[in-house]
Amino acid sequence: MNCKHVWNYISEYIDGSIDDELRAQIESHLEHCEICSAILDSTRNILYLTADNRTFALPVGFSERLRARLEEEMAKSTDSP
Ligand SMILES: [Zn+2]
């Protein structure tokens, strides 16, 4: 499990539609990775802002923008685990 793996599953992780084994792996990564923890927090905030009472939907282009942002963070933080 590395940062990119976590990012691939982050929406499923937040949504809860992920299996227990994968969730455990992501949580153990989050414990030692500040980048992914920060990304998880900000992604959650965005989702709470955009979700209505009943449906869970990402705005158009959200995942592309998130992915681009993550690539930027990854490039800046090559000295981190
Ligand atoms: Zn990470």
Side-chain angles (χ1 to χ4, degrees), residues 62-74:
F62 171 80
S63 25
E64 286 77 9
R65 288 198 302 274
L66 177 63
R67 198 65 53 99
R69 181 72 207 287
L70 297 177
E71 297 289 341
E72 261 177 50
E73 293 295 329
M74 192 68 156

Side-chain angles (χ1 to χ4, degrees), residues 31-76:
E31 277 174 21
H32 68 258
C33 184
E34 286 181 18
I35 301 168
C36 290
S37 302
I39 287 165
L40 179 66
D41 280 351
S42 53
T43 305
R44 265 198 182 123
N45 289 339
I46 292 164
L47 296 179
Y48 287 147
L49 287 172
T50 56
D52 71 23
N53 292 330
R54 286 169 300 173
T55 61
F56 182 92
L58 294 174
V60 174
F62 171 80
S63 25
E64 286 77 9
R65 288 198 302 274
L66 177 63
R67 198 65 53 99
R69 181 72 207 287
L70 297 177
E71 297 289 341
E72 261 177 50
E73 293 295 329
M74 192 68 156
K76 279 193 292 191

Side-chain angles (χ1 to χ4, degrees), residues 1-8 29 33 35-36 70 74 81:
M1 182 66 64
N2 64 28
C3 293
K4 292 207 172 186
H5 289 134
V6 172
W7 302 343
N8 280 336
H29 179 93
C33 184
I35 301 168
C36 290
L70 297 177
M74 192 68 156

